[in-house]
Amino acid sequence: KAGVTQTPRYLIKTRGQQVTLSCSPISGHRSVSWYQQTPGQGLQFLFEYFSETQRNKGNFPGRFSGRQFSNSRSEMNVSTLELGDSALYLCASSLVGTSGNNEQFFGPGTRLTVL
Amino acid sequence: AQRVTQPEKLLSVFKGAPVELKCNYSYSGSPELFWYVQYSRQRLQLLLRHISRESIKGFTADLNKGETSFHLKKPFAQEEDSAMYYCALSGMGAQKLVFGQGTRLTINP
């Protein structure tokens, strides 16, 4: 099975711009979660989508948004970029089957640099 | 509040020595606890979870609810164990993971 893929792998943007990141989960996985990783704050949960619905949301401003398509692929969008948004954005997918089977499989990440 | 604390940012041990990576948590309710590992130039991957009670690559971790700890242990470290280790928790069956800051483990030859 192919792993979680994320595109693009690297992005450079300037302050005020917006950006869209894409994540393709493992085939059959219906849950997609997004995380932001920075040296200062570590790994922080952004949001989770399941069956095209946002099920859970972390403590991030409304500039961060996401969506999930019927094929379970997900995108996240960051509008009005700030310097502090520079980070590695990780996507993880999960089968979400029976209770306890919620292992998350991570993608390689998208490295966003805001200048 | 949900929180995971890994007190050691860096840990260095010699090959063959025992390893213990500490993890403490705070959570109101019954959490699920995990250890994730990231080897150099590889993705973050699950090492083990408290529910499965497995030993993976010689590592074990026991959930101590009284001390709210989930320390990761290995009796004899190997050079290939050098990596970044993250302790994480979630609600039972939930997808939201709360991570600790990570411990960089270096195994010296």
Side-chain angles (χ1 to χ4, degrees):
Chain A
K1 258 186 186 176
V4 177
T5 57
Q6 293 187 244
T7 57
R9 294 294 309 280
Y10 302 91
L11 264 180
I12 300 176
K13 293 285 187 179
T14 55
R15 276 180 299 174
Q17 286 187 309
Q18 77 164 20
V19 67
T20 299
L21 313 181
S22 181
C23 171
S24 292
I26 292 171
S27 177
H29 285 194
R30 296 168 64 193
S31 170
V32 173
S33 299
W34 289 89
Y35 295 85
Q36 182 196 64
Q37 186 175 27
T38 59
Q41 300 297 316
L43 279 153
Q44 292 186 286
F45 173 81
L46 280 155
F47 28 64
E48 182 227 349
Y49 286 87
F50 178 80
S51 292
E52 302 177 65
T53 302
Q54 187 182 86
R55 280 207 302 196
N56 213 333
K57 190 177 190 306
N59 190 25
F60 279 81
R63 300 186 297 107
F64 292 81
S65 63
R67 59 177 176 168
Q68 187 180 34
F69 302 95
S70 58
N71 62 358
S72 294
R73 190 177 70 84
S74 177
E75 288 181 347
M76 69 162 279
N77 184 77
V78 189
S79 62
T80 321
L81 283 166
E82 300 176 0
L83 295 178
D85 298 333
S86 293
L88 181 68
Y89 290 88
L90 293 172
C91 164
S93 75
S94 174
L95 185 61
V96 190
T98 54
S99 176
N101 184 15
N102 61 344
E103 177 181 353
Q104 294 190 33
F105 295 82
F106 283 82
T110 294
R111 172 75 62 187
L112 172 65
T113 302
V114 182
L115 302 175
Chain B
Q2 303 174 12
R3 180 176 292 180
V4 176
T5 303
Q6 293 179 251
E8 304 131 333
K9 274 188 145 178
L10 303 169
L11 184 62
S12 182
V13 302
F14 286 102
K15 178 182 170 182
V19 172
E20 183 178 41
L21 288 82
K22 290 185 167 47
C23 172
N24 289 90
Y25 67 90
S26 63
Y27 186 86
S28 51
S30 294
E32 251 194 286
L33 273 295
F34 306 84
W35 277 98
Y36 278 81
V37 62
Q38 188 165 28
Y39 300 103
S40 179
R41 287 185 287 277
Q42 292 189 28
R43 306 174 180 209
L44 194 61
Q45 58 186 283
L46 179 66
L47 179 62
L48 52 78
R49 57 200 302 172
H50 89 271
I51 278 182
S52 55
R53 294 178 173 270
E54 293 174 300
S55 172
I56 306 291
K57 299 185 179 183
F59 284 98
T60 59
D62 290 318
L63 179 61
N64 185 323
K65 292 184 179 180
E67 295 183 358
T68 58
S69 69
F70 188 56
H71 303 325
L72 183 68
K73 300 176 185 179
K74 184 169 183 176
F76 307 103
Q78 298 173 299
E79 288 185 63
E80 54 265 34
D81 296 329
S82 293
M84 192 75 178
Y85 290 81
Y86 294 94
C87 182
L89 67 74
S90 73
M92 278 296 173
Q95 301 306 303
K96 174 185 175 181
L97 287 170
V98 176
F99 285 91
Q101 291 285 8
T103 297
R104 182 167 296 284
L105 176 64
T106 302
I107 307 301
N108 300 304

